[in-house]
Amino acid sequence: MNSAMIWDDRNASTETIGFQRFYLRSYRCAYLGINQWRPLMTTTTMTKIDRRPFASLGHADHGWLNARHHFSFASYYDPARMGWGAIRVWNDDQIAANSGFPPHPHQDMEIITYVRSGAITHQDSLGNKGRTEAGDVQVMSAGTGVRHAEYNLEPETTTIFQIWIEPSRKGGSPSWGAKPFPKGERSGQFVTLASGFDGDVDALPIRANARVLAATLKAGDSVDYAIDDGRHVYLVPATGAITIGDEAFGARDGAALLGGQTVTITAQEDAEIVLVDSE
């Protein structure tokens, strides 16, 4: 496969149809059904720290795509895992070499891709093109509507976290951006990668009352994170093992954290952590 195939519907028509059935069904669930879901995730049914073991996540293996779903998505449905705050999707994707997501549409969603290994090549109906490497981030604000393709044009498997956040307002012109974030800058501390707050000038902008952050910790190191009242934090160690308070989390486990607390995150082994703080 080469980059020209991203927009060659003759070559990808079968895959595109399958993709749209798989993803657009989940899109309706993840966004249009939100008013029905929110009551299922009330604070009365959650502890302050809720561990979501990797083995318990939803799973779909399509050959070219091996995906784990932290929240209900496509054929995976769990009424207790319909979203967290404004987060609607957190997928842990392994994309086979020379394959990927053919052109498909989105609307009114903030889509953040954190590349864990390999690289992802983006192209969209706005004319944007870009290749985002491991440790870097790309953000697409779907706004009034955009079509995009995401391909792994590398000779090896690419792994990503793809995170969807509900925007604070609907509409607006769609946009895309990507940025490198050297891991050395986030050693021992959280660095904001994407943000809907004006003061986060170095972060990629999103249209949500949310932040996406990352940190790398050496074994034995700790970092505190304060969660304001009314906020929802979801945290995943991309690599390594950590504890949050007395609770242990392995690589790719999820942690749903309620607001009104400060948590201490300690690396039991070298760890790379991704965190979303939303309404």
Side-chain angles (χ1 to χ4, degrees), residues 19-38:
F19 173 87
Q20 289 176 339
R21 288 175 179 166
F22 179 66
Y23 268 77
L24 297 186
R25 177 174 57 192
S26 73
Y27 180 77
R28 288 194 297 272
C29 291
Y31 184 65
L32 298 181
I34 124 181
N35 291 331
Q36 297 174 346
W37 295 350
R38 186 161 290 178

Side-chain angles (χ1 to χ4, degrees), residues 198-212:
D198 292 339
D200 295 328
V201 294
D202 293 329
L204 288 164
I206 56 176
R207 300 168 188 170
N209 185 12
R211 288 185 176 93
V212 181

